[in-house]
Amino acid sequence: MSRVREQANLAAVDALLAADPVLVGIESAQQAMGLPSSTVLTSGPTMPFDAYTGGQRAAIIGGALYEGLAADEAAAVAAFERGEITVRGCQEFGCVGSLAGVTTASMPVVVVVDESTGNRGYCTLYEGDSADRLNYGTYTAATRDNLEALRLRVAPALNSLIAAQTEPLRLKPIMTRALTMGDELHSRNAAATLLFLRRLLVGAKQLGAELDDALDSLCDDYFFLRLSMAASKVMANAMRGFEGSSVVTAMSFSCAEFGVQTSGTGDAWFTGPLPTFEDFRIEHGYDADDIEFMGGESIITEVVGLGGVAQAAGLPLQRSSGRSVVRMVARTTAMYDITVTESPEFRIPILNYRGAPLGLDVEKIVQPTGVTPFLDIGIAGRSGRQIGGGVARAPLEPFRKAWEALS
Amino acid sequence: MSRVREQANLAAVDALLAADPVLVGIESAQQAMGLPSSTVLTSGPTMPFDAYTGGQRAAIIGGALYEGLAADEAAAVAAFERGEITVRGCQEFGCVGSLAGVTTASMPVVVVVDESTGNRGYCTLYEGDSADRLNYGTYTAATRDNLEALRLRVAPALNSLIAAQTEPLRLKPIMTRALTMGDELHSRNAAATLLFLRRLLVGAKQLGAELDDALDSLCDDYFFLRLSMAASKVMANAMRGFEGSSVVTAMSFSCAEFGVQTSGTGDAWFTGPLPTFEDFRIEHGYDADDIEFMGGESIITEVVGLGGVAQAAGLPLQRSSGRSVVRMVARTTAMYDITVTESPEFRIPILNYRGAPLGLDVEKIVQPTGVTPFLDIGIAGRSGRQIGGGVARAPLEPFRKAWEALS
């Protein structure tokens, strides 16, 4: 590895470590990031509308209907085809999409600011464990009602509690601690959600009727995932723009392709085929043929040393993405071969508190190892709902392309 | 092992598994268990007053002063010696003492009822992490103010929230889950405390000013230990009175001795020397010479398969009672040799969700192995405060005596 690259990588990782993600509030995507009302965001590098298929296409169309951009599916498709409605990749707006990741102007998004650099990250709120979720390609009356409840009740209630805080809502201390409590902050956020709930209550002290409205949402074990994602995004952003650095700054996939960005190559996406599953668990009554990729950007957590990269921290995931303790430890251990350093903050109890593998390095992925990152991801079914979870492997091709561009 | 004993042991463990501990409220020790105002309870099998020494003696005297039974230390000692104030072991009243375990009539205790059998268990509230704690042998104005705050503010506020519940506050689901989140429910209760907080909020829904008063206490990571103890007590009680059973139903120690009860021998305590430490961590500025035994009954958690017996569930304890993952796993694994069965409820992630070792069997401890239970305990200092925590080994002698009585 060249001396220059090594220095750049270390500088990038230092910048990530200096990031201090703080939840400042919840705003509409329009307010928060200037998203035009005629634009629908979705997971993955931007593609032409007709390249999106299956559940991701259904979710994009559902987003347009929810936003009131068309009266029905046919009209929405026509409007997309005429260019009256446009589809874009979430990350062009600093947003990260969960699974299909459909984000429209009126939807509430968490706003996380890195106090060190001022950079901002966004993510929609968790839709709950209903079968009718836009992120899993289903748009029904129940989907719409749920999205409306998030916009009209949950977001304002959470904002009241956030506004009542006397100290900044720092997320990294919560993430650091949750990692010692069975979370890896991607597929498992149970402890982080509880820690955040408590932090919100303790920081606010004035608890009124808002709490009742916020409580259902706050008490879902997946609540924190969206905060984990937005915090990861701002931390990953801190690594951007280090000339010559081969550190990965973003990963993302749509229904059709997987994309990677690196510090040394700016906003260019290097793409390749979709990830492949290593271990997964799907609900009774479904099998592997029911799995459908609908996009996903929650793998931003893997970019900062969490999720599949730190899977050994999430022992309760044995029954889904883990399968066994030995496999989980082996996966995390393998990630040290393709990363720049170890996190001095995010630590893993079963590895005797060794720091999580940090700073995915394209050079190490491509040249000596051919080992690509593990990804802890939710599994969507063709029927349009979450049917399971698992651990997938990123494809090698995007990293190879990125390496060619860097060399 | 005799067929009769085997059957009795299995029946005892089945009874434990059928126990369903529910928090019903917080009452004064007098209301809850009919504790006379002139009686001071403390950890361990009852001894004559002058057999209590050091911090445990200081805590007992402090209890008498707090209760207003004497004007000063000399007067209290005289009253104990004349028999006007009596000292008794906590467990004679169905109560379990934390460390010195001093419990007096006016102190609030959690009341946990086993819905299966109706048996009740009690434990005082956590005194917080102040240096001035009665349980660690210190009685000062700060100790008294803190005890008064527990009695006048914290207990009523918690009672309001408990009274507002629409469903019984079942503790076993919380304990089961916390075990997968880095708690072993003795030295570590961080996740259980959070899960309980959330359960209390969600179950109550009507949140008023009480919450503010309760929140400080509820948010301490050790809050749940007292619930864990009282729940363990009622579960352990479910194993009592199985004729011929060699299963341990209680363990306890005072400043002077360690005691064991078994299912087949009723209320008799079999005693021996104090536990010895295997691994421990004490605060900077102290050393092993500063350690003082002041009693402790939190080891009731070990009786039901938690704490030191399930240490491998508490990986975050590596820095105190654990030292390393390998040692923690080895300790729990050794406990399978001295227990009747494995818990189908309490499961340990790092052991691929194997059930915790359940039902300490005196026969197995004494005859083939000589292996005694591991105990995760807090460490008191001679100066009268908590100076650390560690893992100790129960002495063999009480088990040997119990075995003689059983044979």
Side-chain angles (χ1 to χ4, degrees):
Chain A
M1 168 183 281
S2 77
R3 168 80 80 151
V4 171
R5 177 161 305 111
E6 190 176 5
Q7 293 302 317
N9 289 350
L10 290 172
V13 169
D14 281 346
L16 181 149
L17 292 173
D20 184 9
V22 170
L23 174 65
V24 297
I26 297 171
E27 298 176 4
S28 73
Q30 187 155 45
Q31 287 174 289
M33 48 176 138
L35 184 65
S37 60
S38 61
T39 300
V40 176
L41 300 183
T42 191
S43 290
T46 301
M47 303 192 297
F49 173 71
D50 58 11
Y52 294 99
T53 58
Q56 188 167 17
R57 179 182 163 98
I60 293 165
I61 292 167
L65 296 176
Y66 174 67
E67 201 59 34
L69 302 177
D72 58 30
E73 193 180 319
V77 169
F80 274 113
E81 283 171 350
R82 285 195 303 270
E84 291 163 18
I85 315 176
T86 54
V87 62
R88 304 271 293 277
C90 291
Q91 296 194 44
E92 291 184 23
F93 284 81
C95 181
V96 271
S98 180
L99 221 124
V102 167
T103 306
T104 60
S106 69
M107 289 183 188
V109 294
V110 297
V111 180
V112 174
V113 175
D114 171 14
E115 294 243 310
S116 294
T117 63
N119 99 69
R120 291 156 56 103
Y122 315 98
C123 192
T124 56
L125 293 171
Y126 180 54
E127 286 179 84
D129 58 4
S130 157
D132 293 337
R133 284 189 265 171
L134 188 58
N135 275 327
Y136 281 84
T138 298
Y139 185 69
T140 63
T143 308
R144 189 189 60 238
D145 289 350
N146 189 37
L147 290 171
E148 284 294 272
L150 289 176
R151 185 172 74 86
L152 298 172
R153 289 200 303 109
V154 176
L158 287 172
N159 265 331
S160 297
L161 290 168
I162 296 166
Q165 301 295 310
T166 52
E167 299 285 333
L169 277 167
R170 297 205 144 74
L171 300 179
K172 211 153 64 170
I174 291 171
M175 299 165 83
T176 299
R177 186 154 196 214
L179 217 53
T180 71
M181 297 173 71
D183 283 6
E184 35 68 283
L185 288 157
H186 186 175
S187 282
R188 187 161 163 115
N189 289 271
T193 296
L194 289 163
L195 290 165
F196 178 76
L197 165 64
R198 179 167 75 181
R199 172 65 188 76
L200 201 60
L201 295 181
V202 173
K205 285 281 185 177
Q206 292 292 352
L207 304 166
E210 302 83 29
L211 188 58
D212 285 350
D213 279 340
L215 215 51
D216 279 349
S217 173
L218 267 172
C219 291
D220 194 302
D221 273 344
Y222 259 96
F223 178 87
F224 195 82
L225 174 58
R226 306 314 175 88
L227 296 176
S228 173
M229 287 171 59
S232 295
K233 181 64 179 167
V234 299
M235 289 191 282
N237 282 346
M239 294 193 287
R240 298 181 83 87
F242 287 84
E243 204 179 318
S245 170
S246 52
V247 164
V248 173
T249 49
M251 296 193 293
S252 168
F253 61 91
S254 63
C255 57
E257 61 184 9
F258 187 95
V260 168
Q261 294 181 331
T262 76
S263 183
T265 51
D267 294 337
W269 285 105
F270 302 96
T271 60
L274 290 169
T276 45
F277 280 101
E278 298 244 330
D279 274 328
F280 59 87
R281 187 183 180 108
I282 52 185
E283 283 174 27
H284 190 70
Y286 295 93
D287 63 31
D289 289 343
D290 292 306
I291 296 174
E292 180 181 340
F293 280 90
M294 299 186 186
E297 297 188 329
S298 49
I299 52 174
I300 195 74
T301 58
E302 275 76 356
V303 173
V304 301
L306 301 171
V309 168
Q311 199 183 65
L315 297 183
L317 291 171
Q318 274 168 78
R319 286 151 181 190
S320 54
S321 45
R323 181 149 310 175
S324 77
V325 173
V326 168
R327 282 196 198 210
M328 296 175 86
V329 168
R331 285 194 188 108
T332 295
T333 304
M335 296 295 98
Y336 291 109
D337 293 339
I338 60 169
T339 44
V340 174
T341 186
E342 301 176 12
S343 174
E345 297 169 319
F346 295 150
R347 292 179 177 275
I348 302 176
I350 198 175
L351 302 182
N352 291 324
Y353 280 82
R354 186 175 180 183
L358 186 65
L360 293 165
D361 182 346
V362 166
E363 180 172 14
K364 293 179 178 168
I365 291 170
V366 170
Q367 293 210 314
T369 70
V371 168
T372 61
F374 289 106
L375 316 167
D376 281 350
I377 58 180
I379 297 180
R382 296 196 188 286
S383 56
R385 50 186 297 258
Q386 182 164 12
I387 60 169
V391 58
R393 203 73 192 248
L396 187 57
E397 189 180 332
F399 299 98
R400 219 182 260 142
K401 288 181 183 165
W403 179 239
E404 281 164 23
L406 283 159
S407 315
Chain B
M1 168 184 281
S2 78
R3 169 81 79 154
V4 172
R5 177 162 305 113
E6 192 176 3
Q7 293 303 315
N9 289 351
L10 290 172
V13 168
D14 281 348
L16 180 149
L17 292 173
D20 184 10
V22 169
L23 175 65
V24 296
I26 297 171
E27 298 175 3
S28 74
Q30 186 154 46
Q31 288 175 288
M33 45 174 141
L35 183 64
S37 61
S38 61
T39 300
V40 176
L41 300 183
T42 192
S43 291
T46 301
M47 303 192 297
F49 173 71
D50 58 11
Y52 295 99
T53 58
Q56 188 167 17
R57 179 183 163 96
I60 293 166
I61 292 167
L65 296 176
Y66 174 66
E67 201 59 33
L69 301 177
D72 58 31
E73 193 182 318
V77 169
F80 275 112
E81 284 170 351
R82 284 194 304 268
E84 292 165 16
I85 314 175
T86 54
V87 63
R88 303 271 293 276
C90 291
Q91 296 195 44
E92 291 184 23
F93 284 81
C95 180
V96 271
S98 180
L99 221 126
V102 167
T103 306
T104 60
S106 68
M107 288 183 189
V109 294
V110 297
V111 180
V112 174
V113 175
D114 171 13
E115 294 243 311
S116 295
T117 63
N119 100 70
R120 291 155 56 102
Y122 315 98
C123 192
T124 55
L125 293 170
Y126 180 54
E127 287 179 80
D129 59 4
S130 156
D132 293 336
R133 283 189 267 170
L134 189 57
N135 275 326
Y136 281 84
T138 298
Y139 186 70
T140 62
T143 307
R144 189 189 60 237
D145 290 349
N146 189 37
L147 290 172
E148 284 294 272
L150 289 176
R151 185 171 74 86
L152 299 173
R153 289 199 302 108
V154 176
L158 288 171
N159 265 331
S160 298
L161 290 167
I162 295 167
Q165 301 295 310
T166 53
E167 299 285 333
L169 277 167
R170 296 205 145 74
L171 300 179
K172 210 152 64 169
I174 290 172
M175 297 164 82
T176 299
R177 185 154 198 215
L179 218 52
T180 70
M181 297 172 72
D183 283 5
E184 34 69 283
L185 289 158
H186 186 172
S187 282
R188 188 161 161 115
N189 288 272
T193 296
L194 289 163
L195 290 164
F196 178 76
L197 165 64
R198 179 168 73 180
R199 172 65 188 77
L200 200 62
L201 295 180
V202 173
K205 283 283 184 179
Q206 292 293 354
L207 303 165
E210 304 82 29
L211 188 59
D212 285 351
D213 278 340
L215 215 51
D216 279 349
S217 173
L218 266 172
C219 292
D220 193 302
D221 273 343
Y222 259 96
F223 178 87
F224 194 82
L225 173 60
R226 307 314 175 88
L227 297 176
S228 173
M229 287 171 61
S232 295
K233 180 64 178 165
V234 299
M235 290 191 279
N237 282 346
M239 293 193 288
R240 299 181 83 84
F242 288 84
E243 204 180 316
S245 169
S246 53
V247 164
V248 173
T249 50
M251 296 192 293
S252 169
F253 60 92
S254 62
C255 57
E257 60 184 10
F258 187 93
V260 168
Q261 293 180 334
T262 77
S263 183
T265 51
D267 294 338
W269 284 105
F270 302 96
T271 59
L274 290 169
T276 45
F277 280 101
E278 297 243 332
D279 273 329
F280 61 86
R281 186 183 181 108
I282 51 184
E283 283 175 26
H284 190 71
Y286 295 93
D287 62 33
D289 289 341
D290 293 304
I291 297 176
E292 179 181 339
F293 280 90
M294 300 184 185
E297 296 187 330
S298 49
I299 54 174
I300 194 73
T301 58
E302 275 76 357
V303 173
V304 302
L306 302 171
V309 167
Q311 198 181 67
L315 297 184
L317 291 171
Q318 274 167 80
R319 287 153 181 188
S320 53
S321 44
R323 182 154 308 175
S324 78
V325 172
V326 168
R327 282 195 197 211
M328 296 177 85
V329 168
R331 285 194 187 109
T332 294
T333 303
M335 296 296 97
Y336 291 109
D337 294 339
I338 60 168
T339 43
V340 173
T341 187
E342 300 176 11
S343 174
E345 297 170 317
F346 295 150
R347 293 179 176 276
I348 302 176
I350 198 176
L351 302 181
N352 291 325
Y353 278 84
R354 185 174 181 183
L358 186 64
L360 293 165
D361 183 347
V362 166
E363 181 173 11
K364 292 178 178 168
I365 291 170
V366 170
Q367 293 210 314
T369 67
V371 168
T372 61
F374 289 106
L375 316 168
D376 280 350
I377 58 180
I379 298 180
R382 297 196 188 284
S383 56
R385 49 185 298 255
Q386 182 164 12
I387 60 169
V391 57
R393 204 73 192 250
L396 188 56
E397 189 181 334
F399 299 98
R400 220 183 259 143
K401 287 181 184 166
W403 179 238
E404 282 164 24
L406 283 159
S407 314

